[in-house]
Amino acid sequence: MARVGVLALQGDFAEHLQVLKDLEVEGVEVRLPQDLEKVDALIIPGGESTTICRLMDLYHVGEPLKARVHAGMPVWGTCAGMIVLAGALTEDRPKPLGLVNIVVTRNAFGRQTDSFEEDLHIPALGDEPFRAVFIRAPSIRRVGEGVEVMASLPNGTPVAARQGHILVTAFHPELTNDTRLHAYFLQWLNKG
Ligand code: GLN
């Protein structure tokens, strides 16, 4: 049976593990390079991207993670996790892994709209809207070659995208009861 890792250095990894449990999939907390060897896919949760990146450096997990993704391991970053995976940021910190061809701005929605929810149309999930929770969310500022936008806000800002086996969402699907995005990501495992 496939094992799905959740990067458990900081942030809401417990919520992702709970969704995996609800979907009857084995979730594994990943902190060290040797944990990565045990998993077939990885989710990077929301939290503080600067802290997550600092701890990834400290535990030497960034380079092995990149190597696994280059070798085809499916990876999904939610919110701070999207920042971690980005090709580049419009800010100086943190230094992202550069795995997906997008430019991201942190805390893109300003103080007035620190947190908000939006019913998104995500064609890959069917007709029923997906209630997306945004918390001090980043936005995708530029989408490069090879990246497919999967959902956008009504103003056109992309908030979910895919590049091959890499998925990024600016919002937090692990904080609602809608498991469709997790199920969508898990399908990539069955295809090998
Ligand atoms: N604002 C956070 C950051 O820059 C991300 C917020 C989140 O993951 N909910 O890392």
Side-chain angles (χ1 to χ4, degrees):
M1 195 176 111
R3 299 222 244 170
V4 177
V6 181
L7 192 66
L9 297 171
Q10 190 268 339
D12 70 342
F13 55 88
E15 285 79 356
H16 274 293
L17 287 164
Q18 184 58 50
V19 180
L20 294 174
K21 205 168 172 187
D22 294 345
L23 291 171
E24 296 177 354
V25 171
E26 187 178 353
V28 178
E29 292 185 8
V30 170
R31 293 191 180 83
L32 301 171
Q34 53 262 43
D35 300 330
L36 264 181
E37 289 162 20
K38 298 180 216 148
V39 302
D40 306 296
L42 184 74
I43 298 174
I44 306 180
E48 261 319 306
S49 54
T50 45
T51 308
I52 294 173
C53 287
R54 190 154 42 80
L55 292 173
M56 279 198 317
D57 277 349
L58 199 65
Y59 293 119
H60 305 289
V61 84
E63 288 305 318
L65 195 163
K66 276 203 237 180
R68 284 296 308 273
V69 176
H70 285 311
M73 179 180 74
V75 65
W76 176 16
T78 60
C79 202
M82 175 173 97
I83 298 168
V84 172
L85 290 173
L89 305 183
T90 52
E91 294 80 26
D92 295 336
R93 283 189 335 132
K95 188 175 175 333
L97 293 176
L99 285 166
V100 54
N101 200 2
I102 54 172
V103 178
V104 166
T105 293
R106 297 175 61 201
N107 303 316
F109 298 95
R111 274 172 192 239
Q112 296 303 317
T113 47
D114 222 16
S115 299
F116 61 99
E117 296 187 14
E118 187 73 45
D119 280 327
L120 293 179
H121 176 51
I122 308 182
L125 301 184
D127 286 341
E128 198 185 317
F130 191 96
R131 188 85 180 150
V133 178
F134 293 83
I135 304 168
R136 289 179 295 110
S139 77
I140 299 174
R141 294 294 287 269
R142 261 207 311 279
V143 173
E145 208 178 311
V147 178
E148 176 197 339
V149 172
M150 292 180 60
S152 301
L153 291 174
N155 69 6
T157 303
V159 288
R162 168 183 184 173
Q163 183 174 2
H165 57 294
I166 305 171
L167 179 64
V168 289
T169 53
F171 51 93
H172 288 270
E174 71 284 11
L175 298 183
T176 58
N177 292 324
D178 194 334
T179 57
R180 283 181 294 161
L181 261 177
H182 285 79
Y184 172 81
F185 177 64
L186 293 170
Q187 278 175 22
W188 297 357
L189 280 160
N190 303 332
K191 287 181 188 141

